[in-house]
């Protein structure tokens, strides 16, 4: 029998990330199913160590990863070996505590020049700050040309961009899995209201926001449920990184002009939030929550919800939808698995619909490069190598094996995380990937229309400022023009600070 040595690292309370759960921005664990986006605003604390820094008795490549990978260790380990990883290389998955503790573990290990862990699983939202500090191995100099070509040609652009040096383009992280939202809806309520989602190709052809508001308002009225639409519009990190960013992009607006400025250069790029497409993004949300006749609302866009959504995060938005009290919901793919067949939800696999997020202006017709069209916030995690590792060669071998379609498929089937190569999701057997199997076509469209966070060394300072000013405008505490003027000034201060 071929040897399959796949070791389990003993660690502290583990972190489940991606489509299954995530953490608050202060590092507090969330229950399974809470898909809350986070940034680098966590307070750095001394983490509970997962193991001694250098264990002379351990010859394994140590990988800090999620609890989900620890649980699926046998399947993933076998897939890695089948993908070509040498049988002489042992792998040890370890987990750390919260989201903040994980980042602090990396900072402490790299600052101290520790040789372990060998491989870091890094959030796409804070990989670039490690890259610009020259704290990770340059994978463009280590991975095979075949693997580098595969990553550059077939992986999602947003995933590759957030794993690369913004100046040189060199790769420092291997994208491991991705995540992007879609519009979820009740097929039964929509069809009862006289609409034909399949005949109109809702699954793959996005509609405009104006058309969406008309449909959602109509179905909401006919169905009598509590909400026509739920989303995440609370004052938290998820607003700046994701819901506002993607909606603003679909209107043709941007934080820093053309999207090649997303990752810098800091202090040498325009701040473009105080412009009409951004104002209209806010006005549309005002119409959605209080109607087109409300102050600072957008004429022609119907009311589809109420001001409750200004206090909603991911699970707040999913709760009414899962209980049958909402028609439409913007959320991450985790919500499908978390809803169908659970918590006495009236929604079944047959009545659960998804479609790409709506848009306001056509793709390519926005004010800046990369804007316009159906836009979906990108989230994902990468694998990076510790430059101080005593097992750097073995660690590179492990990354080579992770860049395998079969390994990605194994992760999708056993963990539920979407592959960085969207073709793997499209080709997956729907019977083997759970509830998302019925939604692969929609996920494929979303994957090709992702927008990354503007991740730089200062985004952790800018992100809460964005959330504060946008939320103030949503709640009509400031006009859209005043809020975005204030935001422009505050972002410029951080840029030039």
């Amino acid at each position: 029998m071929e040897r399959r040595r796949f070791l389990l690292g003993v660690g502290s309370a583990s972190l489940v990330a991606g489509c299954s759960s995530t953490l608050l921005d202060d590092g507090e664990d969330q229950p399974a199913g809470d898909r809350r986006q986070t940034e680098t605003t966590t307070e750095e604390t001394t983490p509970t160590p997962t193991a001694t820094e250098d264990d002379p008795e351990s010859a394994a490549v140590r990988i800090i990863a999620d609890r989900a990978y620890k649980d699926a260790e046998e399947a993933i380990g076998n897939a890695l070996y089948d993908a070509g990883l040498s049988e002489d290389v042992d792998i040890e998955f370890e987990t750390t505590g919260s989201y903040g503790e994980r980042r602090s573990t990396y900072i402490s290990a790299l600052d101290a020049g520790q040789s372990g862990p060998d491989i870091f699983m890094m959030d796409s939202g804070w990989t670039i700050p490690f890259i610009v500090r020259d704290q990770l191995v340059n994978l463009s100099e280590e991975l095979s040309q075949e693997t580098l070509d595969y990553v550059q040609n077939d992986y999602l652009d947003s995933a590759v961009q957030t794993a690369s040096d913004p100046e040189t383009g060199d790769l420092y992280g291997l994208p491991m899995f991705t995540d992007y939202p879609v519009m979820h809806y009740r097929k039964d309520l929509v069809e009862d209201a006289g609409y034909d989602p399949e005949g109109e190709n809702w699954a793959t052809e996005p509609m405009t926001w104006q058309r969406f508001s008309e449909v959602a308002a109509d179905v909401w009225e006919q169905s009598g449920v509590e909400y026509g639409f739920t989303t995440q519009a609370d004052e938290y990190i998820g607003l700046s990184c994701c819901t506002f960013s993607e909606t603003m992009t679909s209107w043709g607006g941007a934080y820093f002009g053309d999207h090649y400025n997303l990752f810098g250069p800091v202090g040498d790029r325009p701040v473009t939030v105080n412009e009409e497409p951004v104002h209209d993004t806010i006005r549309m949300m005002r119409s959605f929550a209080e109607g087109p006749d409300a102050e600072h609302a957008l004429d022609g866009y119907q009311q589809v919800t109420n001001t409750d959504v200004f206090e909603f995060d991911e699970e707040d938005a999913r709760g009414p939808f899962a209980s049958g009290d909402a028609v439409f919901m913007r959320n991450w793919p985790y919500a499908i698995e978390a809803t169908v067949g659970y918590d006495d939800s009236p929604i079944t696999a047959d009545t659960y619909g998804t479609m790409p997020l709506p848009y306001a202006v056509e793709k390519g017709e926005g004010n800046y490069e990369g804007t316009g069209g159906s836009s979906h916030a990108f989230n994902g995690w990468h694998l990076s190598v510790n430059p101080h590792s005593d097992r750097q060669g073995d660690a590179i071998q492990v990354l080579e094996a992770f860049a395998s379609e079969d390994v990605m498929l194994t992760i999708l089937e056993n963990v539920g995380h979407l592959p960085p190569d969207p073709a793997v999701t499209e080709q997956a057997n729907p019977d083997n990937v759970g509830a998302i199997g019925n939604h692969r076509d929609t996920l494929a469209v979303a994957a090709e229309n992702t927008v990354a966070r503007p991740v730089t060394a200062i985004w952790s300072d800018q992100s809460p400022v964005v959330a504060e000013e946008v939320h103030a405008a949503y709640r009509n505490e400031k006009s859209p023009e005043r809020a975005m003027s204030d935001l422009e000034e505050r972002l410029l201060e951080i840029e030039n600070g």
Side-chain angles (χ1 to χ4, degrees):
M1 293 179 62
E2 291 186 335
R3 181 168 57 89
R4 289 290 187 269
R5 294 193 297 166
F6 197 77
L7 307 179
L8 170 63
V10 179
S12 60
S14 61
L15 165 68
V16 182
C19 304
S20 351
S21 75
T22 185
L23 307 152
L24 281 167
D25 55 321
D26 62 0
E28 178 184 352
D29 283 295
Q30 292 298 297
D34 187 347
R35 186 65 189 88
R36 190 184 308 239
Q37 297 290 328
T38 55
E39 299 290 349
T40 56
T41 56
T42 56
E43 179 182 354
E44 292 179 17
T45 57
T46 302
T48 303
T50 59
T52 55
E53 185 258 311
D54 287 310
D55 182 356
E57 297 183 0
S58 174
V61 172
R62 295 167 53 200
I63 308 173
I64 297 291
D66 294 342
R67 176 59 180 266
Y69 291 85
K70 174 178 171 180
D71 292 342
E73 59 182 348
E74 183 176 357
I76 296 173
N78 288 338
L80 289 169
Y81 289 117
D82 290 341
L85 179 62
S86 171
E87 293 286 340
D88 295 327
V89 178
D90 294 338
I91 305 169
E92 182 176 348
F93 273 151
E94 298 179 356
T95 60
T96 186
S98 70
Y99 179 93
E101 286 179 344
R102 176 181 294 190
R103 178 171 172 264
S104 295
T105 297
Y106 298 171
I107 292 172
S108 299
L110 291 169
D111 286 348
Q114 294 178 358
S115 62
D118 306 288
I119 297 176
F120 305 106
M121 181 175 160
M122 286 193 168
D123 189 319
S124 61
W126 37 262
T127 302
I128 286 179
F130 284 101
I131 295 174
V132 299
R133 291 195 295 264
D134 196 26
Q135 291 186 303
L136 303 174
V137 170
N138 187 338
L139 300 180
S140 290
E141 298 176 353
E142 302 295 338
L143 292 175
S144 67
Q145 191 60 49
E146 181 181 2
T147 295
L148 290 172
D149 289 344
Y150 178 38
V151 171
Q152 294 293 339
N153 296 331
D154 296 282
Y155 279 33
L156 283 180
D157 287 342
S158 295
V160 177
Q161 290 170 350
T162 56
S164 302
D165 186 309
E167 293 186 4
T168 68
D170 285 355
L171 190 71
Y172 283 78
L174 178 75
M176 185 184 190
F177 66 86
T178 60
D179 204 8
Y180 28 84
V182 292
M183 186 70 75
H184 308 240
Y185 68 93
R186 292 276 304 277
K187 274 187 179 180
D188 51 343
L189 298 184
V190 165
E191 290 173 348
D192 288 346
Y195 295 92
D196 182 13
E198 292 188 9
E200 297 178 18
N201 299 320
W202 283 15
T204 56
E205 297 180 14
M207 62 179 69
T208 64
W209 280 115
Q210 187 167 27
R211 168 66 173 163
F212 167 79
S213 75
E214 294 167 353
V215 172
D218 183 27
V219 181
W220 186 24
E221 180 180 7
Q222 291 194 51
S223 64
V225 299
E226 187 174 1
Y227 302 95
F229 172 55
T230 63
T231 186
Q232 300 82 51
D234 196 4
E235 184 185 340
Y236 79 119
I237 298 303
L239 180 61
S240 52
C241 80
C242 304
T243 51
F244 182 69
S245 176
E246 67 196 11
T247 309
M248 170 183 65
T249 301
S250 78
W251 270 93
Y255 287 125
F256 304 106
D258 295 334
H259 276 192
Y260 55 71
N261 293 321
L262 284 173
F263 312 113
V266 171
D268 192 25
R269 56 182 177 171
V271 173
T272 55
V273 293
N274 192 19
E275 298 183 356
E276 198 67 16
V278 186
H279 301 161
D280 283 343
T281 302
I282 295 170
R283 295 187 187 108
M284 182 182 74
M285 285 300 299
R286 295 275 308 132
S287 290
F288 283 0
E290 297 194 50
D293 296 329
E295 187 176 20
H296 303 305
L298 192 60
D299 186 44
Y301 289 76
Q302 305 306 308
Q303 182 174 4
V304 294
T305 188
N306 59 46
T307 56
D308 290 353
V309 297
F310 296 149
E311 307 299 329
F312 279 7
D313 62 21
E314 277 75 5
E315 279 298 276
D316 295 326
R318 191 181 73 85
F321 183 80
S323 65
D325 292 325
V327 182
F328 290 90
M329 170 185 67
R330 179 271 182 206
N331 219 322
W332 307 86
Y334 90 92
I336 303 170
E337 189 74 41
T339 300
V340 175
Y342 292 94
D343 300 324
D344 298 322
S345 174
I347 308 176
T348 67
D350 291 334
T351 61
Y352 203 117
T354 57
M355 63 184 184
L357 295 176
Y359 66 95
V361 301
E362 294 288 344
K363 186 174 183 178
E365 295 184 5
N367 281 12
Y368 299 102
E369 176 274 330
T371 66
S374 179
S375 303
H376 306 74
F378 171 80
N379 186 58
W381 288 72
H382 310 315
L383 295 175
S384 296
V385 177
N386 183 351
H388 310 293
S389 169
D390 295 331
R391 308 174 186 88
Q392 192 174 128
D394 290 344
I396 295 297
Q397 279 196 50
V398 172
L399 263 61
E400 292 273 5
F402 267 105
S404 159
E405 293 184 10
D406 288 339
V407 173
M408 294 179 205
L409 187 60
T410 298
I411 291 173
L412 176 60
E413 292 177 349
N414 288 272
V415 182
H417 290 168
L418 300 174
D421 177 359
V424 177
T425 304
E426 288 186 83
Q427 297 164 8
N429 186 333
D431 296 332
N432 296 338
V433 295
I436 68 170
N438 293 335
H439 306 275
R440 292 171 301 142
D441 290 347
T442 300
L443 292 171
V445 174
E448 296 300 332
N449 293 279
T450 55
V451 55
R453 289 168 274 182
V455 180
T456 61
I458 62 172
W459 175 241
S460 60
D461 296 321
Q462 293 176 325
S463 179
V465 172
V466 172
E468 179 184 340
E469 295 293 350
V470 170
H471 196 253
Y474 277 0
R475 295 180 61 83
N476 203 34
E477 295 168 0
K478 294 182 180 182
S479 69
E481 294 83 358
R482 172 65 186 278
M484 292 304 97
S485 176
D486 290 348
L487 178 58
E488 178 184 31
E489 181 178 346
R490 297 175 71 179
L491 290 179
L492 283 170
E493 287 178 357
I494 299 170
E495 284 280 310
N496 299 322

PDB file of all heavy atoms in Angstrom, residues 159-175:
ATOM      1  N   ALA A 159      -8.231  37.113  -7.638  1.00  0.00           N
ATOM      2  CA  ALA A 159      -7.454  36.268  -6.735  1.00  0.00           C
ATOM      3  C   ALA A 159      -5.968  36.476  -6.961  1.00  0.00           C
ATOM      4  O   ALA A 159      -5.186  36.637  -6.011  1.00  0.00           O
ATOM      5  CB  ALA A 159      -7.824  34.801  -6.937  1.00  0.00           C
ATOM      6  N   VAL A 160      -5.547  36.479  -8.214  1.00  0.00           N
ATOM      7  CA  VAL A 160      -4.122  36.635  -8.536  1.00  0.00           C
ATOM      8  C   VAL A 160      -3.629  38.019  -8.143  1.00  0.00           C
ATOM      9  O   VAL A 160      -2.532  38.174  -7.585  1.00  0.00           O
ATOM     10  CB  VAL A 160      -3.879  36.379 -10.033  1.00  0.00           C
ATOM     11  CG1 VAL A 160      -2.416  36.608 -10.399  1.00  0.00           C
ATOM     12  CG2 VAL A 160      -4.291  34.951 -10.405  1.00  0.00           C
ATOM     13  N   GLN A 161      -4.429  39.050  -8.387  1.00  0.00           N
ATOM     14  CA  GLN A 161      -4.023  40.416  -8.069  1.00  0.00           C
ATOM     15  C   GLN A 161      -3.787  40.605  -6.580  1.00  0.00           C
ATOM     16  O   GLN A 161      -2.833  41.277  -6.177  1.00  0.00           O
ATOM     17  CB  GLN A 161      -5.091  41.408  -8.559  1.00  0.00           C
ATOM     18  CG  GLN A 161      -5.167  41.534 -10.067  1.00  0.00           C
ATOM     19  CD  GLN A 161      -6.388  42.319 -10.510  1.00  0.00           C
ATOM     20  OE1 GLN A 161      -7.280  42.611  -9.714  1.00  0.00           O
ATOM     21  NE2 GLN A 161      -6.438  42.676 -11.784  1.00  0.00           N
ATOM     22  N   THR A 162      -4.649  40.013  -5.754  1.00  0.00           N
ATOM     23  CA  THR A 162      -4.498  40.184  -4.308  1.00  0.00           C
ATOM     24  C   THR A 162      -3.415  39.304  -3.722  1.00  0.00           C
ATOM     25  O   THR A 162      -3.125  39.388  -2.526  1.00  0.00           O
ATOM     26  CB  THR A 162      -5.830  39.895  -3.588  1.00  0.00           C
ATOM     27  OG1 THR A 162      -6.287  38.567  -3.929  1.00  0.00           O
ATOM     28  CG2 THR A 162      -6.891  40.904  -3.983  1.00  0.00           C
ATOM     29  N   ALA A 163      -2.794  38.459  -4.556  1.00  0.00           N
ATOM     30  CA  ALA A 163      -1.693  37.607  -4.111  1.00  0.00           C
ATOM     31  C   ALA A 163      -0.369  38.023  -4.733  1.00  0.00           C
ATOM     32  O   ALA A 163       0.630  37.315  -4.591  1.00  0.00           O
ATOM     33  CB  ALA A 163      -1.988  36.146  -4.459  1.00  0.00           C
ATOM     34  N   SER A 164      -0.349  39.172  -5.406  1.00  0.00           N
ATOM     35  CA  SER A 164       0.831  39.586  -6.173  1.00  0.00           C
ATOM     36  C   SER A 164       1.357  40.930  -5.694  1.00  0.00           C
ATOM     37  O   SER A 164       0.622  41.749  -5.124  1.00  0.00           O
ATOM     38  CB  SER A 164       0.484  39.682  -7.665  1.00  0.00           C
ATOM     39  OG  SER A 164       0.009  38.458  -8.165  1.00  0.00           O
ATOM     40  N   ASP A 165       2.639  41.156  -5.958  1.00  0.00           N
ATOM     41  CA  ASP A 165       3.260  42.443  -5.669  1.00  0.00           C
ATOM     42  C   ASP A 165       2.631  43.486  -6.587  1.00  0.00           C
ATOM     43  O   ASP A 165       2.660  43.334  -7.817  1.00  0.00           O
ATOM     44  CB  ASP A 165       4.769  42.362  -5.919  1.00  0.00           C
ATOM     45  CG  ASP A 165       5.509  43.619  -5.491  1.00  0.00           C
ATOM     46  OD1 ASP A 165       5.094  44.724  -5.889  1.00  0.00           O
ATOM     47  OD2 ASP A 165       6.515  43.493  -4.763  1.00  0.00           O
ATOM     48  N   PRO A 166       2.053  44.556  -6.034  1.00  0.00           N
ATOM     49  CA  PRO A 166       1.368  45.536  -6.880  1.00  0.00           C
ATOM     50  C   PRO A 166       2.299  46.281  -7.822  1.00  0.00           C
ATOM     51  O   PRO A 166       1.843  46.864  -8.806  1.00  0.00           O
ATOM     52  CB  PRO A 166       0.720  46.491  -5.870  1.00  0.00           C
ATOM     53  CG  PRO A 166       1.473  46.293  -4.595  1.00  0.00           C
ATOM     54  CD  PRO A 166       1.927  44.870  -4.600  1.00  0.00           C
ATOM     55  N   GLU A 167       3.611  46.290  -7.561  1.00  0.00           N
ATOM     56  CA  GLU A 167       4.551  47.002  -8.425  1.00  0.00           C
ATOM     57  C   GLU A 167       5.160  46.085  -9.482  1.00  0.00           C
ATOM     58  O   GLU A 167       5.229  46.436 -10.658  1.00  0.00           O
ATOM     59  CB  GLU A 167       5.658  47.645  -7.591  1.00  0.00           C
ATOM     60  CG  GLU A 167       5.176  48.766  -6.687  1.00  0.00           C
ATOM     61  CD  GLU A 167       6.321  49.473  -5.995  1.00  0.00           C
ATOM     62  OE1 GLU A 167       7.490  49.142  -6.275  1.00  0.00           O
ATOM     63  OE2 GLU A 167       6.042  50.360  -5.168  1.00  0.00           O
ATOM     64  N   THR A 168       5.594  44.891  -9.074  1.00  0.00           N
ATOM     65  CA  THR A 168       6.290  44.002 -10.019  1.00  0.00           C
ATOM     66  C   THR A 168       5.377  42.979 -10.665  1.00  0.00           C
ATOM     67  O   THR A 168       5.699  42.435 -11.726  1.00  0.00           O
ATOM     68  CB  THR A 168       7.419  43.257  -9.300  1.00  0.00           C
ATOM     69  OG1 THR A 168       6.857  42.333  -8.345  1.00  0.00           O
ATOM     70  CG2 THR A 168       8.347  44.224  -8.584  1.00  0.00           C
ATOM     71  N   GLY A 169       4.247  42.676 -10.016  1.00  0.00           N
ATOM     72  CA  GLY A 169       3.360  41.633 -10.516  1.00  0.00           C
ATOM     73  C   GLY A 169       3.792  40.236 -10.136  1.00  0.00           C
ATOM     74  O   GLY A 169       3.106  39.257 -10.467  1.00  0.00           O
ATOM     75  N   ASP A 170       4.913  40.099  -9.418  1.00  0.00           N
ATOM     76  CA  ASP A 170       5.368  38.777  -8.992  1.00  0.00           C
ATOM     77  C   ASP A 170       4.376  38.158  -8.014  1.00  0.00           C
ATOM     78  O   ASP A 170       3.774  38.858  -7.182  1.00  0.00           O
ATOM     79  CB  ASP A 170       6.747  38.872  -8.329  1.00  0.00           C
ATOM     80  CG  ASP A 170       7.860  39.077  -9.336  1.00  0.00           C
ATOM     81  OD1 ASP A 170       7.570  39.051 -10.541  1.00  0.00           O
ATOM     82  OD2 ASP A 170       9.014  39.267  -8.911  1.00  0.00           O
ATOM     83  N   LEU A 171       4.236  36.846  -8.089  1.00  0.00           N
ATOM     84  CA  LEU A 171       3.278  36.112  -7.269  1.00  0.00           C
ATOM     85  C   LEU A 171       3.911  35.736  -5.929  1.00  0.00           C
ATOM     86  O   LEU A 171       4.998  35.153  -5.886  1.00  0.00           O
ATOM     87  CB  LEU A 171       2.830  34.849  -7.997  1.00  0.00           C
ATOM     88  CG  LEU A 171       1.667  34.066  -7.407  1.00  0.00           C
ATOM     89  CD1 LEU A 171       0.367  34.835  -7.602  1.00  0.00           C
ATOM     90  CD2 LEU A 171       1.565  32.684  -8.058  1.00  0.00           C
ATOM     91  N   TYR A 172       3.234  36.050  -4.836  1.00  0.00           N
ATOM     92  CA  TYR A 172       3.726  35.722  -3.499  1.00  0.00           C
ATOM     93  C   TYR A 172       2.751  34.828  -2.731  1.00  0.00           C
ATOM     94  O   TYR A 172       3.065  34.360  -1.645  1.00  0.00           O
ATOM     95  CB  TYR A 172       3.983  36.991  -2.687  1.00  0.00           C
ATOM     96  CG  TYR A 172       5.263  37.695  -3.083  1.00  0.00           C
ATOM     97  CD1 TYR A 172       5.326  38.489  -4.228  1.00  0.00           C
ATOM     98  CD2 TYR A 172       6.419  37.568  -2.316  1.00  0.00           C
ATOM     99  CE1 TYR A 172       6.493  39.136  -4.596  1.00  0.00           C
ATOM    100  CE2 TYR A 172       7.599  38.214  -2.670  1.00  0.00           C
ATOM    101  CZ  TYR A 172       7.626  38.996  -3.807  1.00  0.00           C
ATOM    102  OH  TYR A 172       8.800  39.629  -4.161  1.00  0.00           O
ATOM    103  N   GLY A 173       1.578  34.625  -3.287  1.00  0.00           N
ATOM    104  CA  GLY A 173       0.599  33.740  -2.672  1.00  0.00           C
ATOM    105  C   GLY A 173      -0.074  32.909  -3.738  1.00  0.00           C
ATOM    106  O   GLY A 173      -0.371  33.413  -4.831  1.00  0.00           O
ATOM    107  N   LEU A 174      -0.310  31.648  -3.447  1.00  0.00           N
ATOM    108  CA  LEU A 174      -1.057  30.796  -4.367  1.00  0.00           C
ATOM    109  C   LEU A 174      -2.520  30.829  -3.944  1.00  0.00           C
ATOM    110  O   LEU A 174      -2.862  30.374  -2.847  1.00  0.00           O
ATOM    111  CB  LEU A 174      -0.543  29.355  -4.321  1.00  0.00           C
ATOM    112  CG  LEU A 174      -1.308  28.389  -5.228  1.00  0.00           C
ATOM    113  CD1 LEU A 174      -0.921  28.618  -6.689  1.00  0.00           C
ATOM    114  CD2 LEU A 174      -1.060  26.944  -4.820  1.00  0.00           C
ATOM    115  N   PRO A 175      -3.420  31.397  -4.768  1.00  0.00           N
ATOM    116  CA  PRO A 175      -4.835  31.407  -4.399  1.00  0.00           C
ATOM    117  C   PRO A 175      -5.328  30.000  -4.077  1.00  0.00           C
ATOM    118  O   PRO A 175      -5.113  29.059  -4.846  1.00  0.00           O
ATOM    119  CB  PRO A 175      -5.516  31.980  -5.643  1.00  0.00           C
ATOM    120  CG  PRO A 175      -4.466  32.873  -6.237  1.00  0.00           C
ATOM    121  CD  PRO A 175      -3.173  32.123  -6.029  1.00  0.00           C
TER     122      PRO A 175
END
